[in-house]
Amino acid sequence: MDSTLLSPQREVLAHSPVPAQRRRPRRSRHLPLYLSIAPFYLLFLVFGLTPVLFSLYLAFQKWDGISSMRYIGFNNFSYLLTDTHFWQAIGNTILIWLMATIPTLGLALISAFLLNTSIRHTTLYKLAFFLPHVTSVVAIAIIFSTLFGNQFGLLNALITALGGGRIPWLLNPLGIKFAIACMIIWRATGYNAIIYLAGLQSIPKVLYEAARIDGAHSLQIFKNITLPLLRPIILFTVITSTISGLQVFTEPQVLVGPNGGPGASGMTMVLYLYQQAFSRDRFGYGSAVGWGMFVIIVAFSILNWKIVQRAGTR
């Protein structure tokens, strides 16, 4: 039989719709992908989103953790705006953040440039720089408490050996903030240095070679090539340092206690939240403090983003 007589039938069969039982729905095709990422979203729903929403609900309640909740509207937030202790905690936190963040990012950038040179044992240096970031914060705080001890601290031992007098670091408001800031600097410098190093190594070497051929010196290369290309990395480190710096908790708690030390000089926002919620059983007000912190951190992050972006356009 001539094959040309069968071609119309073949064409009809080729264009006929596939039976419903043989077609696979789009949802069933993507079902294995959804199932593979489902555990993360389930855990986030249970341990992330649910506590956040519950804290927002709790901020409008008066609750001591045992008796029944009582709705009080915006009373927690109105009291928060007039709470002098909360504003003191904000001032302490911002001052510690300024004392720690600026030196941290500066030292991290310098360290990244040194690690980016052709020195030997670079991997060992990277490990040494990153090790403080993964060390227990409690252990770090205990070590720094021995360094800044009022009577027998190692710093006072060094000062007296040089002929000076002992400094009551942990009894002085500025000394407490300085000790906490030093802990943050020691722990966060290496982490930011590794991030800056990754950014430096991603810059094409051809740009530097072309700039040197054109007669540009090191400062011009740094200003016109390195800084503009590192701007996204700098923006990332500034925002993450802001978020973590405004949530300082373990360092002052272990170093000077849950009450923030003498005069509450080490009382940070998170430590104040912990004190109100878990020491005084004011869970509703503690939730309001947490949401006040959220607004402050978002505002500072946006401000830093604007400053870095504006500096990059000049």
Side-chain angles (χ1 to χ4, degrees):
M1 183 181 293
D2 191 359
S3 60
T4 57
L5 297 176
L6 298 178
S7 58
Q9 298 177 0
R10 292 176 181 175
E11 185 176 357
V12 172
L13 292 175
H15 291 84
S16 62
V18 181
Q21 63 272 18
R22 297 177 59 184
R23 286 185 297 174
R24 192 176 181 185
R26 182 182 298 272
R27 292 181 180 178
S28 63
R29 291 203 306 268
H30 297 303
L31 183 60
L33 300 178
Y34 291 138
L35 291 177
S36 64
I37 63 176
F40 167 77
Y41 287 101
L42 290 175
L43 291 175
F44 175 75
L45 177 64
V46 175
F47 298 103
L49 185 60
T50 300
V52 169
L53 297 178
F54 181 69
S55 69
L56 181 61
Y57 170 77
L58 199 59
F60 297 94
Q61 311 290 326
K62 182 178 181 181
W63 188 45
D64 59 1
I66 298 176
S67 60
S68 59
M69 298 182 187
R70 183 165 63 89
Y71 177 76
I72 57 175
F74 288 91
N75 289 356
N76 286 328
F77 292 101
S78 60
Y79 179 72
L80 182 69
L81 296 176
T82 59
D83 187 359
T84 56
H85 298 290
F86 176 67
W87 288 103
Q88 181 187 9
I90 293 175
N92 292 338
T93 305
I94 293 176
L95 186 56
I96 293 171
W97 170 69
L98 289 174
M99 295 172 64
T101 302
I102 297 175
T104 295
L105 297 182
L107 291 173
L109 190 59
I110 294 172
S111 303
F113 273 101
L114 295 177
L115 290 173
N116 198 36
T117 58
S118 56
I119 59 176
R120 300 178 60 186
H121 309 297
T122 306
T123 304
L124 182 62
Y125 286 118
K126 292 178 184 178
L127 178 63
F129 270 80
F130 192 75
L131 188 60
H133 181 71
V134 297
T135 304
S136 171
V137 182
V138 176
I140 295 173
I142 293 174
I143 292 173
F144 272 80
S145 65
T146 62
L147 290 175
F148 289 93
N150 297 320
Q151 294 295 328
F152 306 104
L154 296 179
L155 283 180
N156 277 330
L158 178 61
I159 292 173
T160 54
L162 296 175
R166 288 187 176 90
I167 301 176
W169 297 100
L170 302 182
L171 296 177
N172 184 282
L174 188 60
I176 291 173
K177 295 179 179 63
F178 179 74
I180 297 172
C182 287
M183 278 192 286
I184 298 173
I185 293 171
W186 189 81
R187 182 171 57 89
T189 298
Y191 170 77
N192 290 293
I194 298 300
I195 294 178
Y196 284 144
L197 178 62
L200 289 173
Q201 292 179 345
S202 66
I203 299 176
K205 303 298 183 183
V206 179
L207 299 177
Y208 293 117
E209 296 173 358
R212 292 190 182 95
I213 292 174
D214 291 339
H217 52 75
S218 299
L219 184 59
Q220 291 176 330
I221 293 175
F222 177 76
K223 180 181 178 181
N224 298 315
I225 297 178
T226 305
L227 273 184
L229 294 178
L230 273 183
R231 191 188 313 148
I233 308 297
I234 295 175
L235 179 61
F236 171 78
T237 55
V238 168
I239 292 179
T240 54
S241 298
T242 299
I243 294 173
S244 61
L246 294 178
Q247 298 184 61
V248 176
F249 170 71
T250 308
E251 292 88 345
Q253 188 204 30
V254 177
L255 193 65
V256 294
N259 294 323
S265 302
M267 179 67 69
T268 60
M269 291 189 292
V270 181
L271 188 58
Y272 185 67
L273 185 157
Y274 174 83
Q275 181 194 70
Q276 295 299 312
F278 298 100
S279 297
R280 300 184 179 179
D281 298 329
R282 301 173 63 187
F283 291 98
Y285 184 63
S287 299
V289 172
W291 282 99
M293 282 179 47
F294 172 76
V295 173
I296 294 172
I297 292 173
V298 169
F300 269 84
S301 299
I302 295 175
L303 178 63
N304 287 331
W305 182 78
K306 293 288 186 181
I307 291 174
V308 175
Q309 289 292 92
R310 181 174 298 179
T313 56
R314 291 179 181 177

